[in-house]
Amino acid sequence: MAFDPGTRGSLVSQINVTPLVDVMLVLLIIFMVTAPIIQQGVEVNLPKVKGAALPGEEQQFVVSITRGRDLYLNDTRMTAGDLTRRLTAIAAERPDRQVFIRADEQVPYGDVVRTMAAIKAAGIENVGMVTQMPAGGEELAAPERRGSGNLHP
């Protein structure tokens, strides 16, 4: 009986899983360390306001305006004219497409409005604004009149 565990000097047919567990733990640590590094995007200091998050079902188009007034469509830098041309092509394919604007809080209001006008000129009517939720106990000054809370102009 060659595989009987009771006999001395015989072969044992068991798999040693210790090396497999070691390799899996090393891979887990590597992925945990590299995942935050892989996330890229345009650095924008968003204004902090209270509001509900919108559900997202499909790929979102985000127009970012940096503090240096550079325009990005998702992660691609472009001019206002290029933005309008690109969004016109997107609107021709799907006119009900929604575009979100992420503007740094230091960007002048006029630049944000001009960007919204460029998006509207492309034929996209659904424009949303991206903001950042304020920290836990931070209170914001409430304006005298509040809008409808609708993110669509």
Side-chain angles (χ1 to χ4, degrees), residues 2-151:
F3 293 105
D4 186 13
T7 57
R8 188 171 196 124
S10 64
L11 297 173
V12 179
S13 65
Q14 294 179 352
I15 297 174
N16 187 2
V17 295
T18 304
L20 176 66
V21 171
D22 290 343
V23 169
M24 295 304 290
L25 286 174
V26 168
L27 287 174
L28 177 67
I29 291 170
I30 289 172
F31 286 125
M32 287 173 56
V33 169
T34 58
I37 297 170
I38 293 173
Q39 294 178 353
Q40 297 177 355
V42 180
E43 184 65 31
V44 176
N45 186 15
L46 295 173
K48 294 171 178 56
V49 296
K50 293 181 182 179
L54 296 175
E57 309 89 33
E58 55 191 27
Q59 178 193 3
Q60 302 295 327
F61 290 103
V62 179
V63 176
S64 299
I65 309 170
T66 64
R67 186 174 296 205
R69 299 181 184 173
D70 296 323
L71 283 176
Y72 290 84
L73 179 59
N74 290 345
D75 290 330
T76 307
R77 185 176 178 187
M78 55 186 53
T79 64
D82 292 339
L83 177 68
T84 302
R85 283 190 289 280
R86 179 78 186 269
L87 291 177
T88 302
I90 292 169
E93 182 182 317
R94 291 255 332 256
D96 62 337
R97 186 64 92 169
Q98 186 171 14
V99 174
F100 296 98
I101 297 177
R102 291 179 63 225
D104 192 283
E105 65 183 349
Q106 300 298 320
V107 173
Y109 179 72
D111 289 347
V112 176
V113 172
R114 280 189 284 280
T115 303
M116 289 178 76
I119 294 170
K120 295 276 188 173
I124 295 179
E125 293 297 321
N126 296 327
V127 180
M129 301 295 291
V130 179
T131 60
Q132 184 177 4
M133 292 296 288
E138 187 177 327
E139 285 295 322
L140 298 174
E144 291 180 21
R145 285 182 35 187
R146 290 192 167 237
S148 64
N150 191 356
L151 292 178

